[in-house]
Amino acid sequence: MDATILARIQFAANISFHILFPAITIALGWVLLFFKLRFNATGDGKWMDAYRFWVKVFALSFALGVVSGITMSFQFGTNWPGFMEKVGNIAGPLLAYEVLTAFFLEATFLGIMLFGFRRVPGWVHTGATVLVAFGTTMSAFWILVLNSWMHTPQGFELRDGVAHATDWWAIVFTPSLPYRLAHMLIASALTVAFLIAGLSAFRWLKGDRGPDVAAALRTGVVMAAVLAPVQAFVGDLHGLNTLEYQPAKVAAMEGNWETRGHVPLILFAIPDEAARTNHFEISIPSGASLILKHDPAGVVPGLNDFVGKHPPVAPVFFAFRIMVGIGMLMIAMGLGGAYFLWRRGELPRPMLWGFVGTTFAGWVATLAGWYVTEIGRQPWLVTGVLTTSEAVGPIAAGTVFSTLVMYLVLYALLLSAYVATLFRLAKKAKALPEGEGGGNPISLARPVPAAKA
Amino acid sequence: MTPFLPPELLPVVFAALMAISVLAYVVLDGFDLGVGLLLPQAADEPERDRMIASIGPFWDANETWLVLGVGLLLVAFPTAHGAILTALYLPVALMLLGLTLRGVAFEFRAKASTLADKRRWDHAFFGGSLLTALTQGWMLGRYVIGFDEGIIAIGFAALSAIGVAVAYSFIGAAWLIWRTEGALQRRAVLWARRALWGVALGIIGVSLATPIASERIFHRWFDFPNILLLAPMPVATFALIAGLAALLRHMPLPEDALRRLPFWGAVGLFCLSFAGLAWSFFPYIVPEKMTLWQAAASPESLSIILAGALVVLPIIAAYTVLAWRIFGGKAMDLRYD
């Protein structure tokens, strides 16, 4: 394999591992704030118990996000030196603003949020929780600003082959940003909804039926019921935006080869890029035209208009179906779960096991979605400005390969340790003595005055 | 954005910002990593818990200075960033492995179900800290003399790797003197005494080796009148080391007097060493190959970052001080509630 492919696999492995954890912390920060505010408003200890359990998950996820994020900040330079040479004048300030306005904020107040409960007044602790949640969201904003610019670049001019900013407002607010940002924030919320519902269902099934577990389960299910349908709507808008600015990507998502009307919605097929056709196609007539053009006769662009300039079809095509499939499942489970909670006040056993099974469904859908949009941008790194192969560095393939193996082993170990730890925390939660998740508000006695410096 | 500083001044301002970030990083994460390096010296598990508790609320923010330092290199000197990081590809990868192990070990050891499991994460914590310290020292050594190949350059990098690890141990021990009490504090005084010898040897070693390894650096220090103007720096360094040695002989003092002093002394040593290195390679950003001005990004982009930095950095400083006040004093057990 050549160094470009290896550098791409290495960066993809790292960024895929990284996104798992922000996908949790972005929304979980706000859910923790919700638990904290419910406790402040009601004084009901169950909310504080829920907070205490989920803040541990938050802390662990945050640490994994930080370390993998640091790796990424280095890999921009080690793997893609051509990226910074060509568009560093645009990407640089955006990344700098992420560090300045988000990283320090979340990192500093995380310490207060995690360990400061007994050291600061309640309102300071609540404030720290707000700032951490705000920081993670700001971080998502800036990185999606940069990513959206790479998809739909504007507000710059090329001088001697180097991009120079001409309009920062245009650079920040590119046409794809609103859709991408909304889609990602809701994706994070859904990831957290199913994580909370899944682990809470697991605790419930294991006989850990405290009011805090019920409250968390209800929170997860209601979030899923509300947000999964909203996500389908936002995703559709995002797709229409992509059709306007990156038609080749949509053609690959739909597996459509010829530009024509009455394009079917393909449920399953095996795209064959060599023969430029699909095998084993199962489809709904005119479906894609209807979705993309709101007209069965609507003309949808095909891949043959972009020969040599479109992304690899199969990965985009399949990743898109995995994402949409999980999205449909999420809608069904969210609405079904909400129905049972509303009519019966509890979930039937099979449904509880269903939520356990989909604990990490959000991860799969989020990754699949990112593969659609990132592979869908190929062969470009920055659409129309810089190709991926132009940006790769001079590192020998062997060196990239050996470090790739190191990263893969490390990530496999950390990921299994992470999942095992979450389920162990869930199992252990009930065994905790009173006041450490055991439902006893006595642990709220505080504060122990800090020793004098 | 219209540049509001003369374009030729911007790279210097950014080099200064970057230097501040890197110095903040080596001091702040230096004591975290130093505590990690000292972990195997602890007597038992509660002592290890206490050592890690002393850095728990800080490490994440401390590490962010590295991201800012590298980020500034990336955004302000993009070509240098590419050149430096591709030259240091392998040590960077190993450092990232070390930082990852150290960072996740904080959380995993706190949630371990058995003592054996916890001990495994203790080892990861130590191993990660050691790997990070050694690779950072190695990269510093490679960087200072311009990524030369050959036996002298490699030997210099190895010396620098050990020197940085010892320096981190020293500032880590000094931190523990400030933040712990009882038997652990007394042990930390011992560790600090031993590490101080290593620091002194390391500073002498690097000070002698750098001018030998690089003719340009030799002239920078020893040509007249530089040698006279720069003399206060080594004099101050050795006065500080002698003072710290004398202080550590008598610590811990009654009523825990002067408990902060070893730490701030260590910070002073770090600043002096850093200043010495900075003088050695200014105005190069890639030593011997690329100056600040050759590597700088466009003035429009630097200006918009600077505007943001000037607004945000004081705010960051303010809430960092707040966090240090909240977690001031002796380390307590870390609890989420």
Side-chain angles (χ1 to χ4, degrees):
Chain A
M1 270 194 273
D2 67 1
T4 305
I5 284 289
L6 285 167
R8 279 182 66 191
I9 294 175
Q10 187 180 81
F11 195 73
N14 187 47
I15 204 164
S16 299
F17 181 72
H18 173 69
I19 190 65
L20 301 178
F21 303 103
I24 289 174
T25 51
I26 291 166
L28 189 52
W30 294 107
V31 174
L32 285 172
L33 179 66
F34 169 74
F35 288 160
K36 185 88 209 282
L37 291 176
R38 292 300 295 154
F39 171 71
N40 289 353
T42 64
D44 189 339
K46 73 177 180 187
W47 294 111
M48 208 57 218
D49 285 333
Y51 179 93
R52 267 193 288 267
F53 177 82
W54 285 99
V55 83
K56 288 181 194 147
V57 177
F58 185 85
L60 182 61
S61 313
F62 199 94
L64 280 152
V66 167
V67 295
S68 54
I70 287 177
T71 308
M72 271 182 51
S73 71
F74 279 91
Q75 281 190 349
F76 278 122
T78 53
N79 292 33
W80 310 112
F83 178 74
M84 288 314 288
E85 276 163 29
K86 182 134 189 177
V87 299
N89 288 326
I90 314 288
L94 300 179
L95 290 169
Y97 272 82
E98 183 181 13
V99 177
L100 288 170
T101 62
F103 285 176
F104 278 105
L105 191 71
E106 49 185 359
T108 308
F109 284 99
L110 181 74
I112 300 172
M113 175 182 165
L114 293 183
F115 309 120
F117 191 77
R118 286 162 186 270
R119 292 185 177 227
V120 296
W123 68 269
V124 175
H125 186 255
T126 306
T129 312
V130 173
L131 288 171
V132 170
F134 176 73
T136 55
T137 309
M138 278 305 279
S139 173
F141 172 78
W142 285 115
I143 206 72
L144 289 175
V145 163
L146 173 56
N147 184 265
S148 298
W149 185 83
M150 289 162 64
H151 282 275
T152 51
Q154 61 177 27
F156 69 101
E157 62 186 15
L158 289 175
R159 278 184 243 145
D160 304 323
V162 173
H164 288 261
T166 54
D167 180 352
W168 280 105
W169 190 261
I171 288 168
V172 173
F173 297 99
T174 51
S176 62
L177 175 72
Y179 305 98
R180 196 181 312 280
L181 182 62
H183 202 42
M184 181 61 210
L185 292 182
I186 299 173
S188 169
L190 282 171
T191 304
V192 167
F194 278 84
L195 180 71
I196 292 180
L199 278 191
S200 303
F202 179 75
R203 288 175 69 179
W204 192 265
L205 286 163
K206 291 283 162 195
D208 181 5
R209 302 192 172 179
D212 58 321
V213 182
L217 180 61
R218 183 176 287 270
T219 306
V221 171
V222 171
M223 275 174 78
V226 174
L227 291 176
V230 174
Q231 181 72 319
F233 177 67
V234 171
D236 182 54
L237 292 179
H238 192 180
L240 295 178
N241 179 265
T242 308
L243 179 65
E244 191 178 341
Y245 291 94
Q246 296 170 293
K249 187 196 288 186
V250 174
M253 283 155 67
E254 299 295 345
N256 182 40
W257 297 94
E258 289 299 333
T259 301
R260 60 199 158 115
H262 293 286
V263 173
L265 176 66
I266 301 174
L267 300 180
F268 181 81
I270 295 182
D272 182 342
E273 224 170 301
R276 304 200 75 75
T277 185
N278 297 329
H279 304 296
F280 311 108
E281 192 174 298
I282 305 168
S283 55
I284 301 170
S286 305
S289 289
L290 206 55
I291 289 173
L292 290 166
K293 294 288 178 182
H294 305 290
D295 170 10
V299 175
V300 175
L303 288 159
N304 289 342
D305 286 8
F306 311 97
V307 176
K309 286 177 292 185
H310 65 70
V313 182
V316 176
F317 178 86
F318 286 118
F320 181 63
R321 269 145 199 77
I322 291 169
M323 177 187 77
V324 172
I326 294 175
M328 296 294 156
L329 180 69
M330 286 178 157
I331 294 174
M333 292 198 54
L335 294 179
Y339 173 80
F340 281 112
L341 283 181
W342 173 48
R343 296 311 290 257
R344 289 210 225 149
E346 61 174 14
L347 298 179
R349 258 183 103 74
M351 188 113 211
L352 286 168
W353 279 114
F355 275 109
V356 175
T358 50
T359 303
F360 296 107
W363 274 3
V364 183
T366 303
L367 282 181
W370 275 109
Y371 290 160
V372 171
T373 199
E374 293 297 294
I375 300 175
R377 193 189 51 229
Q378 304 302 322
W380 298 105
L381 188 56
V382 179
T383 307
V385 178
L386 176 72
T387 64
T388 308
S389 54
E390 285 167 350
V392 77
I395 305 294
T399 312
V400 182
F401 182 74
S402 54
T403 52
L404 170 64
V405 171
M406 180 192 89
Y407 284 122
L408 287 180
V409 170
L410 178 67
Y411 292 157
L413 283 174
L414 292 181
L415 197 57
S416 38
Y418 176 82
V419 173
T421 302
L422 287 200
F423 278 95
R424 201 175 49 235
L425 281 177
K427 259 187 220 159
K428 220 170 64 171
K430 192 191 168 197
L432 284 181
E434 300 262 293
E436 285 191 33
N440 190 332
I442 203 159
S443 62
L444 303 173
R446 66 174 153 110
V448 179
K452 271 174 57 182
Chain B
M1 184 167 191
T2 330
F4 54 89
L5 275 178
E8 67 280 3
L9 205 59
L10 274 169
V12 182
V13 171
F14 271 84
L17 279 178
M18 208 170 76
I20 291 169
S21 304
V22 172
L23 182 59
Y25 173 76
V26 293
V27 166
L28 294 170
D29 209 24
F31 76 72
D32 297 339
L33 291 165
V35 170
L37 290 170
L38 294 168
L39 205 61
Q41 312 293 323
D44 50 19
E45 199 58 32
E47 219 170 84
R48 281 189 285 273
D49 285 347
R50 188 53 57 99
M51 286 167 76
I52 290 178
S54 77
I55 53 178
F58 302 105
W59 75 273
D60 191 349
N62 292 349
E63 211 172 84
T64 308
W65 290 101
L66 178 65
V67 181
L68 184 63
V70 175
L72 285 174
L73 178 65
L74 179 80
V75 302
F77 307 102
T79 43
H81 179 266
I84 292 170
L85 288 192
T86 46
L88 297 173
Y89 188 85
L90 222 49
V92 164
L94 290 174
M95 177 191 74
L96 294 170
L97 176 68
L99 280 173
T100 304
L101 283 177
R102 191 275 304 248
V104 300
F106 269 100
E107 288 296 327
F108 279 124
R109 76 183 290 286
K111 295 169 180 60
S113 53
T114 62
L115 190 62
D117 195 23
K118 196 172 179 186
R119 290 295 290 143
R120 267 197 289 282
W121 288 112
D122 282 343
H123 293 312
F125 196 97
F126 166 72
S129 301
L130 181 65
L131 190 58
T132 305
L134 289 177
T135 47
Q136 284 178 355
W138 177 272
M139 289 190 279
L140 177 68
R142 303 282 294 131
Y143 177 70
V144 168
I145 51 178
F147 308 115
D148 284 349
E149 301 297 333
I151 187 77
I152 294 178
I154 298 302
F156 183 75
L159 176 73
S160 165
I162 296 166
V164 165
V166 172
Y168 284 171
S169 309
F170 177 67
I171 200 168
W175 171 259
L176 290 173
I177 294 173
W178 178 5
R179 295 306 180 115
T180 64
E181 50 209 332
L184 178 55
Q185 190 191 37
R186 286 194 293 280
R187 234 191 302 281
V189 172
L190 265 172
W191 299 334
R193 272 184 219 152
R194 274 186 231 146
L196 186 58
W197 283 111
V199 171
L201 282 176
I203 290 177
I204 294 171
V206 172
S207 305
L208 291 179
T210 320
I212 293 172
S214 159
E215 202 178 327
R216 186 185 60 81
I217 295 177
F218 179 88
H219 289 298
R220 229 175 142 74
W221 282 88
F222 294 102
D223 282 1
F224 193 81
N226 287 2
I227 186 161
L228 279 184
L229 295 173
L230 294 169
M233 231 150 84
V235 171
T237 306
F238 280 93
L240 193 50
I241 290 176
L244 280 169
L247 174 65
L248 287 170
R249 246 202 321 275
H250 301 291
M251 289 195 95
L253 296 166
E255 302 199 4
D256 213 6
L258 306 179
R259 61 191 175 281
R260 297 189 192 85
L261 210 51
F263 179 76
W264 293 113
V267 172
L269 278 181
F270 273 54
C271 292
L272 284 166
S273 307
F274 191 85
L277 286 171
W279 171 253
S280 294
F281 51 74
F282 183 83
Y284 286 98
I285 182 100
V286 182
E288 326 287 342
K289 293 187 182 72
M290 202 185 288
T291 67
L292 296 177
W293 292 275
Q294 288 164 337
S298 82
E300 301 89 358
S301 293
L302 290 181
S303 298
I304 196 157
I305 301 172
L306 188 58
L310 290 178
V311 175
V312 179
L313 278 177
I315 301 174
I316 292 173
Y319 61 63
T320 305
V321 169
L322 173 75
W324 274 63
R325 290 185 66 94
I326 290 173
F327 296 105
K330 298 296 180 188
M332 298 199 297
D333 287 341
L334 289 185
R335 293 169 57 98
Y336 289 138
D337 50 19

